[in-house]
Amino acid sequence: MAANATYLAPGEGETVFTVNSSPIKFGVGALGELGADALTPGMERVALFVGPHVLASAPGASALGALRAAGLDVAVYDQARCEPNSDSFEAAAAFVRDGAFDGLVSLGGGSVMDTAKAANLLSTYPDELIAYVNAPIGRAKPIPGRLKPHIACPTTCGTGSETTGITVVDLKSVGLKTGIASPLLKPSLAIVDPTTTETLPGGVVAASGFDVLTHAVESYTARPYTSRPKPAHPSQRPPYQGSTPYNDIGSLAAIRLGGEYLARAVRDASDTEARHQLMFASTLAGLAFGSAGVHIPHAMSYSVATLRHEFVASGYEEREPMVPHGIAVVINAPAAFRFTAQANPRRHLEAAAALGADVTDAAPEDAGEILALAFISLMRETGLPSGIAALGYGEADVPALAEGAFAQQRPLVMAPRSVSTKDLEGLYRDALRYW
């Protein structure tokens, strides 16, 4: 298939960008204020989305205790699937639809928060899931109106789902991982208490932490918002707009924090400074990519996460075999940034420098390799797989991987370079093994 995007020269395209961020409460002890925060939008009967392990933990007890102390009627939903699929979304929606809830709280990683978003949507405006899924895989039906209040409380330092209007799903009917994107999906409030990260296994911190870094680098290197055509009407301005002066600030800060603290946070669970700073980086990156978008590494990740289910990641041994989202993304990042760097070498070098690479006297043509090696070095230091071959993929899988990635047009059109299926095949070959 042909390349997929057209880029306008400066002065010919968009001149406006928008920022639609959710309110955020960040800090040690923030989770203890959950009950008061749930009363503010008028919640009385609350659906609490939480995984069994988190529910049995100190953060789970704190959240449930705060809600009940505020006099709220709470029903727990603990069946959210790690890396959710269409069946798990439908089951969660049925729970909310049958429960007569007037608000939702999600406490967990991206899978739990995404499940709550989907359940809120499908219970409020019932339709087939594929009706709301992004085109061209789904019909991209606009969400008709406001949803129930949803307070999102992350317990992993990675996805940034608490700040975004995006939910990701393994759509079983087509065998692809895809998503729904709308500002109306954004949680009403994000409560980010960094103490929730203190008991995470190192492997989970690594997987989620690399999601932070790829979010930030992708949004910083995304095509500029000025390269898109002006919308015919302001309401048609897309949620993913491209890099903007606003998101650049958060992206670079998140990259610096990730470069400084990710390896420390993985190595030592008692290093609370590192884990708390990584949680802050996740929030910053979520705010950044929520308006700028992500691009090739995320588009490639969906095929990697969907086509094979035989890998068991460190920290996920108690779950069925699967590729955690952060690993599925970063495993493609070195190959992708080698490809995109020629579109804007300066930005790729700035991202590499923020990660801690020495870019003194670096030539523009070296930008992609320098950024790729910075990622590879950190991947090796934190015990990640050496490439997609370590996940069970080989040369024979490349065409199917590329076909699935090319279907992800929502992120691909944000890439600084237009990309074809042939390009994607080359990137997957590059990603088979880095060392």
Side-chain angles (χ1 to χ4, degrees), residues 201-292:
V204 175
V205 175
S208 59
F210 274 109
D211 200 20
V212 173
L213 282 180
T214 50
H215 280 153
V217 177
E218 286 175 72
S219 63
Y220 190 68
T221 58
R223 62 185 294 184
Y225 76 100
T226 52
S227 70
R228 289 187 299 99
K230 293 180 180 180
H233 187 274
S235 64
Q236 296 173 345
R237 189 167 284 117
Y240 275 8
Q241 300 167 74
S243 62
T244 72
Y246 166 80
N247 80 265
D248 288 349
I249 298 168
S251 296
L252 277 177
I255 297 167
R256 291 190 185 101
L257 290 171
E260 181 173 358
Y261 291 108
L262 176 56
R264 282 175 50 181
V266 171
R267 283 195 304 263
D268 185 1
S270 68
D271 190 342
T272 55
E273 178 191 17
R275 293 202 167 191
H276 290 195
Q277 291 290 344
L278 202 57
M279 185 64 122
F280 186 51
S282 175
T283 302
L284 290 173
L287 289 170
F289 89 83
S291 61

Side-chain angles (χ1 to χ4, degrees), residues 34-61:
L34 175 58
D37 290 325
L39 289 173
T40 299
M43 292 188 192
E44 295 181 357
R45 178 161 167 75
V46 178
L48 174 61
F49 281 69
V50 60
H53 293 292
V54 174
L55 184 61
S57 70

Side-chain angles (χ1 to χ4, degrees), residues 340-401:
T340 58
Q342 67 175 259
N344 195 329
R346 178 179 61 82
R347 287 212 163 216
H348 287 70
L349 286 172
E350 289 169 349
L355 263 180
D358 182 4
V359 300
T360 306
D361 299 325
E365 58 269 23
D366 296 330
E369 188 63 18
I370 291 171
L371 181 55
L373 290 176
F375 267 95
I376 290 168
S377 175
L378 197 52
M379 290 164 67
R380 297 188 72 167
E381 186 177 0
T382 52
L384 259 64
S386 59
I388 62 173
L391 309 180
Y393 291 101
E395 173 66 31
D397 299 304
V398 165
L401 288 165

Side-chain angles (χ1 to χ4, degrees), residues 7-333:
Y7 302 88
L8 300 177
E12 296 179 359
E14 179 66 281
T15 59
V16 174
F17 66 88
T18 59
V19 178
N20 297 307
S21 60
S22 300
I24 297 170
K25 176 179 286 190
F26 185 98
V28 172
L31 203 54
E33 300 179 4
L34 175 58
D37 290 325
L39 289 173
T40 299
M43 292 188 192
E44 295 181 357
R45 178 161 167 75
V46 178
L48 174 61
F49 281 69
V50 60
H53 293 292
V54 174
L55 184 61
S57 70
S62 176
L64 189 58
L67 290 169
R68 287 179 171 162
L72 294 161
D73 180 13
V74 184
V76 172
Y77 185 79
D78 62 1
Q79 299 301 307
R81 175 186 170 93
C82 184
E83 305 298 332
N85 60 29
S86 41
D87 289 346
S88 67
F89 271 10
E90 295 287 0
F95 173 80
V96 176
R97 191 165 47 246
D98 296 343
F101 300 104
D102 52 27
L104 292 79
V105 172
S106 55
L107 176 70
S111 295
V112 169
M113 292 184 282
D114 281 6
T115 300
K117 292 178 188 179
N120 198 2
L121 168 61
L122 295 173
S123 63
T124 306
Y125 302 107
D127 204 334
E128 294 179 291
L129 176 62
I130 200 165
Y132 293 109
V133 165
N134 302 318
I137 297 170
R139 299 199 295 274
K141 174 183 174 181
I143 296 176
R146 298 183 65 180
L147 304 178
K148 298 177 183 69
H150 171 202
I151 300 175
C153 312
T155 59
T156 60
C157 39
T159 69
S161 182
E162 70 275 8
T163 65
T164 74
I166 302 160
T167 183
V168 176
V169 60
D170 185 348
L171 198 61
K172 295 179 69 175
S173 61
V174 295
L176 287 173
K177 202 165 187 179
T178 182
I180 304 170
S182 168
L184 292 167
L185 283 174
K186 287 186 178 182
S188 318
L189 172 67
I191 297 180
V192 187
D193 190 329
T195 61
T196 59
T197 66
E198 292 175 5
T199 58
L200 290 176
V204 175
V205 175
S208 59
F210 274 109
D211 200 20
V212 173
L213 282 180
T214 50
H215 280 153
V217 177
E218 286 175 72
S219 63
Y220 190 68
T221 58
R223 62 185 294 184
Y225 76 100
T226 52
S227 70
R228 289 187 299 99
K230 293 180 180 180
H233 187 274
S235 64
Q236 296 173 345
R237 189 167 284 117
Y240 275 8
Q241 300 167 74
S243 62
T244 72
Y246 166 80
N247 80 265
D248 288 349
I249 298 168
S251 296
L252 277 177
I255 297 167
R256 291 190 185 101
L257 290 171
E260 181 173 358
Y261 291 108
L262 176 56
R264 282 175 50 181
V266 171
R267 283 195 304 263
D268 185 1
S270 68
D271 190 342
T272 55
E273 178 191 17
R275 293 202 167 191
H276 290 195
Q277 291 290 344
L278 202 57
M279 185 64 122
F280 186 51
S282 175
T283 302
L284 290 173
L287 289 170
F289 89 83
S291 61
V294 291
H295 56 84
I296 294 176
H298 268 77
M300 294 175 68
S301 76
Y302 297 137
S303 291
V304 170
T306 303
L307 297 183
R308 286 191 181 275
H309 298 280
E310 57 191 60
F311 178 72
V312 178
S314 173
Y316 296 84
E317 291 87 355
E318 296 182 6
R319 303 183 186 275
E320 60 188 54
M322 55 96 187
V323 183
H325 174 66
I327 294 177
V329 174
V330 77
I331 209 79
N332 308 297

